[in-house]
């Protein structure tokens, strides 16, 4: 097994390579505006650092969101393109699941990421591997924290409301994404196809018909 995983659903442009036992290499750049420019060089970096070739990869895994439309589609389109080129399967894993897995928590908690517009994407977990509900998008004050720990960049933006746990990861680092996917694949747990989780409509819309101008 050699899993190439990456995520572009948050400001973290992140990629990692996992051999089924451990993360061989991982690279992350925090830049919310350059997903398309940074993803391929980031993938090349982890391949080079691990000593692997792209042809050695046996599975592609991309974070499927939720996240902003433009950034999210960069990773998913790349996953689909590599899958076709290499002839290997591509899968999608919820981006919030990667944050949860990276937290290492064994108790009930929430993950919250920045959804912009003063909102957060969030989901509820029984432990680092088990999502119970979500993902959803809400204003921070509408998230039912109920005394549970909250991890992720969304919580860090609104600590007075969500009570951010400072020692947990802010982003869905690809090492966690790859390890979670490799674990599920080894167990025979079905993974989803690489399709986006959109909780909003895209900001860009097709222009309507021009208005008639009357004299």
């Amino acid at each position: 097994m050699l899993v190439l995983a990456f995520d572009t659903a948050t400001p973290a442009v992140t990629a990692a390579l996992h051999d089924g036992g451990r993360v061989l290499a991982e690279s992350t750049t925090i830049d919310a505006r350059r997903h398309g420019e940074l993803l391929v060089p980031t993938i090349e970096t982890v391949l080079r650092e691990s000593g692997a070739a792209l042809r050695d990869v046996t599975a592609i895994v991309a974070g499927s969101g939720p996240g902003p439309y433009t950034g999210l589609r960069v990773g998913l389109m790349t996953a689909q393109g590599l899958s076709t080129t290499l002839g290997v399967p591509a899968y999608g894993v919820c981006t919030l699941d990667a944050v949860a897995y990276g937290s290492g928590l064994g108790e009930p908690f929430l993950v919250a990421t920045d959804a912009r517009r003063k909102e957060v994407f969030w989901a509820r977990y029984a432990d680092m591997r088990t999502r119970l509900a979500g993902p959803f998008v809400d204003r921070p004050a509408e998230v039912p924290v109920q005394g549970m720990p909250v991890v992720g960049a969304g919580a860090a933006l609104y600590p007075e409301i969500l009570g951010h746990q400072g020692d947990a990861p802010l982003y869905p680092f690809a090492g966690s994404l790859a390890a979670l996917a490799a674990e599920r694949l080894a167990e025979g747990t079905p993974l989803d196809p690489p399709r986006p989780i959109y909780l909003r409509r895209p900001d860009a819309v097709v222009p309507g018909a021009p208005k008639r101008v009357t004299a």
Side-chain angles (χ1 to χ4, degrees):
M1 179 187 298
L2 195 61
V3 177
L4 173 62
F6 42 84
D7 194 294
T8 57
T10 76
V13 181
T14 179
L17 202 64
H18 196 287
D19 68 357
R22 64 187 180 93
V23 175
L24 300 178
E26 180 177 10
S27 180
T28 301
T29 301
I30 309 301
D31 192 324
R33 299 180 180 275
R34 300 170 61 214
H35 296 91
E37 179 181 344
L38 293 172
L39 180 57
V40 170
T42 302
I43 291 171
E44 291 173 344
T45 295
V46 299
L47 289 169
R48 182 174 63 252
E49 290 181 354
S50 66
L54 191 57
R55 64 178 178 273
D56 300 326
V57 170
T58 61
I60 307 291
V61 177
S64 54
Y69 177 78
T70 302
L72 178 55
R73 67 178 180 175
V74 169
L76 292 169
M77 291 176 66
T78 300
Q80 292 166 4
L82 288 174
S83 173
T84 300
T85 300
L86 299 174
V88 301
Y91 305 101
V93 172
C94 177
T95 293
L96 301 182
D97 289 357
V99 179
Y101 192 85
S103 75
L105 292 174
E107 61 189 277
F109 66 101
L110 303 179
V111 171
T113 60
D114 183 16
R116 304 178 184 175
R117 305 179 189 173
K118 298 183 179 180
E119 294 179 325
V120 294
F121 297 121
W122 68 277
R124 181 163 55 92
Y125 292 81
D127 54 51
M128 61 186 276
R129 293 177 173 85
T130 311
R131 176 159 37 103
L132 297 176
F136 309 104
V137 59
D138 286 299
R139 293 188 178 279
E142 297 169 342
V143 177
V145 177
Q146 300 175 337
M148 287 182 285
V150 186
V151 303
L157 285 172
Y158 306 100
E160 69 286 355
I161 301 173
L162 299 176
H164 174 244
Q165 304 297 302
D167 56 346
L170 294 179
Y171 300 110
F173 296 114
S176 296
L177 178 64
L180 175 59
E183 185 177 287
R184 290 177 175 174
L185 288 170
E187 293 171 349
T189 302
L191 294 179
D192 294 327
R195 294 175 183 161
I197 300 172
Y198 289 136
L199 300 183
R200 292 196 190 116
R201 294 180 180 274
D203 289 332
V205 296
V206 177
K211 295 181 180 179
R212 266 183 88 178
V213 177
T214 57

